Amino acid sequence: MKPILIAAAATLSTAAFLSAATDWSDFSGDVLIMGEFHNNPQHHAEQATAVQVIQPKAVVFEMLTPDEAQALSDLPQDRGAITAAIDGFHWSNIADYADILAASPVIVGAAPTREDMRAAFSTGAAEVFGPDADIYGLDQPLAEDEQAIRELNQFDAHCEAMPLEMMGGMIEAQRLRDAAFARTVIDALDTYGSPVVLITGNGHARMDWGVPVYLMRTRPELDVTSIGQGERQEPPDGVFSWTLNGAASPDRDDPCAVFQKAN
């Protein structure tokens, strides 16, 4: 297959190397973004396999702050040592990522601080991001139709328990995260070389409004592949280079129960 070109920007591979058996050995791009449902063990296992086979120069994690990643920098690539070290980290199920972390030659944290997230909600992503906000397009509003769709998605994701008018702030926080992840990936490429893998949620991995959009704006020459992982033979929402849809859905508590109790 030929690469997909979007808006004359970065090359987003169609990931033709992926077969039904997911043969990662043929990957040859600059950036591999691997989406997930955060609490699906099969998704984490697929990510660990990809990192083990591809052997990227660095792996960027949505789930780690830069300080947390630094704390792991001197550890051996050993699951036991990493599992012990990540106890108490801010991501609630960070232990589920131990195999991915153990396979990563360099671990890079990309998570913005809670203070920055709150500030983005209140004042917008551009002000929090800093002087390069215009390069990443954060100084420009989203298209009206995209803004409306994303606000409704956030409203649904929060179980319609918060006013719809508050979802604009949620979108600004999401934009900050997407741009911050893209900037961290670029820094990792410049520091360690290619390829770099990003481990993140499906929403950040989607090509139509996630991290790939910001990579395209800043480094249009990059060859970027974005993988979305679905459940129950259903693909995740959004546009991806490729989707893996075979993972079963683990037993989960009702995410809206906490809001129902509050009411």
Side-chain angles (χ1 to χ4, degrees):
M1 295 183 181
K2 294 181 179 179
I4 299 173
L5 298 179
I6 296 182
T11 301
L12 292 158
S13 301
T14 54
F17 63 89
L18 287 176
S19 67
T22 317
D23 183 5
W24 296 106
S25 61
D26 291 335
F27 176 78
S28 60
D30 296 308
V31 179
L32 174 63
I33 302 173
M34 291 207 68
E36 63 173 35
F37 283 97
H38 291 315
N39 56 355
N40 190 311
Q42 292 187 44
H43 291 180
H44 303 148
E46 189 67 48
Q47 292 164 330
T49 297
V51 171
Q52 290 164 1
V53 173
I54 294 170
Q55 297 185 346
K57 298 296 191 298
V59 182
V60 177
F61 288 84
E62 171 190 353
M63 303 82 196
L64 297 175
T65 66
D67 286 345
E68 289 170 341
Q70 181 61 38
L72 302 176
S73 62
D74 294 329
L75 292 180
Q77 288 178 274
D78 174 79
R79 191 184 196 282
I82 287 174
T83 299
I86 59 180
D87 183 42
F89 279 16
H90 86 283
W91 194 267
S92 61
N93 67 319
I94 188 63
D96 294 346
Y97 298 82
D99 287 335
I100 313 169
L101 291 164
S104 303
V106 175
I107 297 170
V108 181
T113 66
R114 289 190 177 94
E115 291 75 17
D116 282 349
M117 294 294 289
R118 285 194 289 266
F121 180 93
S122 301
T123 64
E127 184 170 333
V128 178
F129 192 77
D132 291 337
D134 58 333
I135 298 174
Y136 285 80
L138 295 176
D139 61 331
Q140 300 297 318
L142 297 175
E144 289 185 9
D145 56 346
E146 180 180 336
Q147 181 74 25
I149 291 171
R150 293 179 67 163
E151 287 182 4
L152 287 173
N153 285 352
Q154 286 287 338
F155 188 55
D156 180 66
H158 289 83
C159 305
E160 302 184 8
M162 300 170 65
L164 180 59
E165 292 74 19
M166 293 182 65
M167 297 304 105
M170 295 290 189
I171 302 306
E172 285 300 301
Q174 188 85 349
R175 293 181 74 190
L176 174 66
R177 289 167 68 85
D178 287 332
F181 297 165
R183 179 168 60 184
T184 304
V185 166
I186 290 171
D187 288 345
L189 286 167
D190 291 344
T191 303
Y192 304 108
S194 171
V196 166
V197 170
L198 170 64
I199 303 296
T200 190
N202 284 322
H204 296 296
R206 55 190 292 172
M207 291 159 45
D208 47 347
W209 68 43
V211 175
V213 171
Y214 298 93
L215 291 174
M216 285 189 290
R217 286 187 63 93
T218 54
R219 292 288 180 90
E221 75 278 6
L222 291 177
D223 183 353
V224 179
T225 296
S226 184
I227 306 300
Q229 296 197 77
E231 296 179 331
R232 303 180 303 276
Q233 301 300 322
E234 297 177 2
D237 293 335
V239 178
F240 301 91
S241 306
W242 200 267
T243 56
L244 304 175
N245 306 324
S249 175
D251 292 334
R252 297 186 176 105
D253 294 333
D254 180 1
C256 295
V258 63
F259 296 105
Q260 293 165 359
K261 290 179 181 178
N263 294 329

